[in-house]
Amino acid sequence: MNFATSLMLIGAELGLCLVALVLLLLSAWLPRAAARVLTIAAASALAGASIYTLALLLNGTAGPDANAFGALLRLDAFSAVAKLLIYLSTFACLVVTPSFFERRGQYRGEYPVLLLFNAVGMSLLVSATDLMTLYIGLELSSLSSYILASFARSDMRSAEAGLKYFILGGLASGILLYGMSLVYGFAGSTNFDAIRTALAGELGTGALFGIVLVFAGLAFKISAVPFHMWTPDVYDGAPTPVTTFFAGAPKIAAVAILTRLSFSAFGEQFAAWQQIVAFVALASIVVGALGAIGQENLKRVLAYSSINNVGFLLIGLATGTAAGVSAMLIYLAIYAVMTLGSFVALLMLHDADGVPMETFGSIAGLAQRKPALAWALLVLMFSLAGIPPLFGFYAKLVVFQAAVDAGLIALATVGIAASVIGAFYYIKFVKVMFFDARPSSDARAEVARNPAGHWSVLAASTVLLSPLGFLLTPAMERWAAAAASALFLTA
Amino acid sequence: MIQLFAFYMFATIVILAAVMVILARNPVHSVLWLILAFFNAAGLMVLVGAEFVAVLLVIVYVGAVAVLFLFVVMMLDIDVASMRAGFVRNAPLGFAVALVLLAEMVLGFGAYRAGGLALGTPAAPSQALPGLSNIQNVGALLYTRYVFLFEMAGLILLVAMIGAIVLTHRDRRGSAARQDIARQIGRKPVDATVMTRPKVGEGVEL
């Protein structure tokens, strides 16, 4: 192992760490009003890291050449694509954050610092090829997430969300660690490739138990169904910019590492984990679709929608083919844009006092009051529902295509049926905004003006999801295929 | 032979103590059972020849348990007086646990002298450097092969520290609890003392 090569490969993470440390010192000494400047610095650091990662991706290092620090990390095309998604969605979250907290006088320089450390943790996570790197990346990202969830500490709901997330997250980490220790015990190594070799052939009960526990721990982090109970509460209670972040980057990172772990460490045991993933996928799709129907709170609806989407993502994983993984990555990218856009739209729904309007009742007749916002939400919701001319349709199409090609027809059928059920609440948004009369009782409930940063993120995501997005499909398909094949290089 | 005996004893007591941690109704008792569990886990570590991990387990967790004790006493509504009343009644149990611990230490030490349990052949990269102690081996790995993870673990601790400060620190400027050293040093006798010359038999008016 060449130390200089390793440092070159993790340049993006190193840069982010250094910027985060400097910003931390600055935030300790500068007045609180400087937090906005620190946010801009952090956002530009993320932009720089994205460019560095893109250069690395185009450079095309693959296989053992991409290993850093003696196979603790592998910075291949897969991790580069996942990291680009993570950095870009974190960047967008930083853009929309400050004004929300500043209205309440809660914004502090630590917020961008924690977000940067979170990004470092997530990029370690997606490039991990060792159980230890996986765990350390996961903890770095989760610990900062817990703090972010209760960042508005004077708000009871925010504190409750943080505590709930912390306790359940700690439990999930414990389950994951237990599974990892069993896998280590039976494989004799923490390295993914070594585990793959050691576990080849007939799988013992102990090792199977370990694999199941590892999957359970990670399923918590992606809020897949038997472990999804925390999601609506945390998404609802956490400040909306933080929820925007939670629904995007950490989910991308956890899905990516689940994929890498499945194919590189447990690649020989496809039959063992396929059932688990298929069950979790189905359960997530169904629960996500049905659970949202009775909800009145928009943040809770979107939380169930994200559970539902995780199910679709896992269909791609359950196929166990390179085509399935590449379909999953395309879905992941489009999902990130959809969820970002819809949470930013929620963020923009507040009255002049900054009180959020987060129930169906409060957005009634939005089309007359704020036509631009209503139309953007219409595009986002139809895209989430997967209605054809929009880009969200393409995401669902590639995933179901991969499932049918891999012979998982039953899974695809149930998925399509559940996505029709799920369309109900997406269309409810549109119905309430466009066809319901605005409540005349409170004249005060007027949507206030929003800064340009919000509008630009919303406009960018709307344009990406409009039929114009289909222009991107060749590039997306090429990169997703490159990333998926990087994963199968070890096979 | 003695290792096997010691192994089964440590393992059984670890499991029993862990069960009791959950079953005990009194949180203070739970904490005590936890200590017993940690000590026995440390004994298991000694048996496999990882004495550094064993010592770490005891030192770190005794610290953690002390903090836990504080939390139990401070946060939970426990009537300390009524618990103290049970001291005499509980004393035999306490002595029994202490005796078990003592016997275990003697046995564990004997087992350690007899050599570690053969668990299997370690994989090539984790082969210990010959002739070096446990700590030196751990150090040699920690600062070379795993230096990156070591640094990242440091970042995790930093994040935890930032979190503790972000979530609890309040700006106390202007309140009495805040110490302003410059103001204290800059204070002159003139500002704080008054010379008066009261007449005999009259009080002082301040």
Side-chain angles (χ1 to χ4, degrees):
Chain A
M1 164 191 71
N2 187 344
F3 205 67
T5 322
S6 298
L7 289 181
M8 195 274 290
L9 282 170
I10 59 155
E13 286 87 346
L14 278 188
L16 286 180
C17 280
L18 288 179
V19 172
L21 290 174
V22 170
L23 291 186
L24 180 62
L25 288 179
L26 287 179
S27 77
W29 270 290
L30 290 181
R32 271 174 81 162
R36 192 172 263 269
V37 183
L38 299 185
T39 311
I40 294 170
S44 29
L46 280 168
S50 317
I51 294 170
Y52 192 94
T53 313
L54 189 64
L56 213 59
L57 176 64
L58 296 178
N59 197 14
T61 339
D65 290 343
N67 280 355
F69 296 106
L72 286 178
L73 297 161
R74 181 173 295 155
L75 286 299
D76 52 9
F78 181 77
S79 79
V81 167
K83 271 160 64 179
L84 272 179
L85 288 177
I86 291 168
Y87 292 157
L88 290 178
S89 60
T90 313
F91 175 86
C93 290
L94 267 182
V95 172
V96 298
T97 302
S99 63
F100 177 89
F101 285 110
E102 275 168 359
R103 266 201 302 276
R104 293 161 176 72
Q106 290 164 332
Y107 200 54
R108 311 212 279 164
E110 282 86 0
Y111 190 95
V113 172
L114 285 172
L115 222 53
L116 283 187
F117 280 130
N118 209 326
V120 172
M122 289 184 291
S123 48
L124 285 188
L125 190 60
V126 296
S127 24
T129 45
D130 193 286
L131 291 177
M132 285 189 283
T133 322
L134 191 166
Y135 187 69
I136 285 182
L138 191 70
E139 279 306 288
L140 188 54
S141 136
S142 321
L143 258 183
S144 26
S145 296
Y146 306 145
I147 304 165
L148 290 175
S150 44
F151 200 81
R153 62 182 189 195
S154 49
D155 179 11
M156 275 297 273
R157 283 164 69 213
S158 172
E160 183 198 327
L163 191 64
K164 234 175 223 174
Y165 195 22
F166 178 52
I167 292 175
L168 291 176
L171 181 70
S173 288
I175 294 174
L176 181 70
L177 268 185
Y178 187 35
M180 276 163 43
S181 69
L182 281 174
V183 169
Y184 170 60
F186 284 97
S189 172
T190 51
N191 183 273
F192 286 2
D193 293 337
I195 292 174
R196 184 194 176 88
T197 326
L199 291 187
E202 190 69 27
L203 193 64
T205 319
L208 178 66
F209 204 62
I211 294 178
V212 171
L213 288 177
V214 168
F215 271 87
L218 286 176
F220 174 88
K221 299 288 175 192
I222 60 174
S223 66
V225 150
F227 309 99
H228 67 288
M229 289 79 82
W230 59 277
T231 319
D233 288 352
V234 171
Y235 279 27
D236 181 18
T240 313
V242 179
T243 314
T244 313
F245 173 69
F246 281 173
K251 237 171 217 188
I252 297 170
V255 169
I257 188 58
L258 186 66
T259 312
R260 189 193 276 279
L261 190 71
S262 310
F263 286 110
S264 62
F266 306 140
E268 300 283 336
Q269 306 300 336
F270 173 61
W273 57 258
Q274 191 193 17
Q275 305 166 18
I276 308 174
V277 173
F279 167 74
V280 168
L282 267 188
S284 304
I285 292 172
V286 172
V287 171
L290 296 181
I293 289 177
Q295 302 294 335
E296 259 304 302
N297 185 305
L298 302 181
K299 273 162 94 179
R300 291 184 88 87
V301 169
L302 287 184
Y304 276 104
S305 150
S306 86
I307 295 173
N308 181 252
N309 278 301
V310 161
F312 290 121
L313 283 169
L314 291 180
I315 288 184
L317 180 58
T319 59
T321 58
V325 174
S326 106
M328 195 195 80
L329 285 172
I330 291 175
Y331 196 105
L332 205 54
I334 298 175
Y335 162 75
V337 177
M338 291 192 295
T339 187
L340 185 74
S342 32
F343 273 109
V344 169
L346 279 199
L347 198 56
M348 293 167 75
L349 288 166
H350 61 85
D351 62 20
D353 300 333
V355 179
M357 310 156 92
E358 45 188 33
T359 56
F360 274 119
S362 61
I363 61 163
L366 190 72
Q368 284 108 54
R369 289 182 277 163
K370 286 268 166 181
L373 197 53
W375 281 97
L377 259 172
L378 175 130
V379 170
L380 289 162
M381 288 304 137
F382 277 169
S383 184
L384 274 167
I387 288 171
L390 298 167
F391 209 27
F393 165 70
Y394 175 70
K396 285 205 166 69
L397 178 74
V398 285
V399 167
F400 288 134
Q401 180 75 49
V404 171
D405 285 346
L408 299 174
I409 306 215
L411 199 58
T413 317
V414 178
I416 291 169
S419 84
V420 174
I421 301 173
F424 167 77
Y425 56 84
Y426 296 127
I427 293 174
K428 187 173 170 189
F429 264 90
V430 177
K431 179 241 171 196
V432 168
M433 284 189 303
F434 283 82
F435 301 110
D436 281 9
R438 68 185 276 195
S440 55
S441 56
D442 48 339
R444 198 176 64 72
E446 202 59 51
V447 179
R449 294 179 61 80
N450 278 292
H454 287 62
W455 280 110
S456 47
V457 173
L458 186 66
S461 48
T462 313
V463 169
L464 278 177
L465 294 176
S466 70
L468 288 177
F470 281 96
L471 295 176
L472 289 177
T473 47
M476 277 173 84
E477 273 172 1
R478 198 171 64 243
W479 280 358
S485 62
L487 214 54
F488 282 85
L489 211 60
T490 45
Chain B
M1 187 59 212
I2 183 168
Q3 296 106 314
L4 264 189
F5 184 69
F7 170 78
Y8 281 113
M9 189 189 65
F10 285 138
T12 322
I13 297 181
V14 157
I15 293 170
L16 284 182
V19 169
M20 288 308 293
V21 172
I22 305 170
L23 293 185
R25 279 174 176 275
N26 187 333
V28 176
H29 287 184
S30 292
V31 172
L32 285 173
W33 285 115
L34 202 60
I35 294 178
L36 187 64
F38 283 139
F39 261 99
N40 282 281
L44 287 175
M45 286 298 164
V46 168
L47 278 187
V48 297
E51 64 267 8
F52 177 59
V53 180
V55 171
L56 217 57
L57 212 59
V58 171
I59 294 176
V60 171
Y61 282 112
V62 164
V65 163
V67 173
L68 209 61
F69 247 130
L70 277 182
F71 266 96
V72 166
V73 173
M74 279 164 36
M75 300 279 185
L76 300 180
D77 188 19
I78 299 172
D79 189 359
V80 184
S82 74
M83 266 174 16
R84 215 175 273 153
F87 177 76
V88 182
R89 203 155 35 83
N90 286 332
L93 177 76
F95 280 119
V97 170
L99 214 64
V100 169
L101 275 180
L102 184 71
E104 281 190 322
M105 271 186 226
V106 173
L107 195 73
F109 190 67
Y112 175 59
R113 276 304 176 79
L117 278 178
L119 290 177
T121 41
S126 56
Q127 201 96 52
L129 301 173
L132 288 183
S133 76
N134 234 304
I135 301 180
Q136 283 164 315
N137 268 314
V138 170
L141 275 181
L142 207 54
Y143 296 106
T144 55
R145 190 177 152 82
Y146 296 117
V147 65
F148 177 68
L149 294 184
F150 182 70
E151 295 294 332
M152 288 300 133
L155 271 192
I156 294 183
L157 293 182
L158 178 66
V159 166
M161 208 161 79
I162 299 173
I165 294 171
V166 164
L167 296 182
T168 58
H169 176 73
R170 279 181 180 74
D171 206 355
R172 287 177 202 273
R173 214 155 294 162
S175 93
R178 192 182 162 86
Q179 186 183 25
D180 187 345
I181 297 175
R183 237 186 72 210
Q184 286 179 344
I185 296 173
R187 202 167 175 221
K188 296 196 185 72
V190 188
D191 307 335
T193 54
V194 189
M195 290 290 282
T196 55
R197 200 180 290 271
K199 290 207 174 94
V200 177
E202 282 177 23
V204 183
E205 222 170 278
L206 288 175

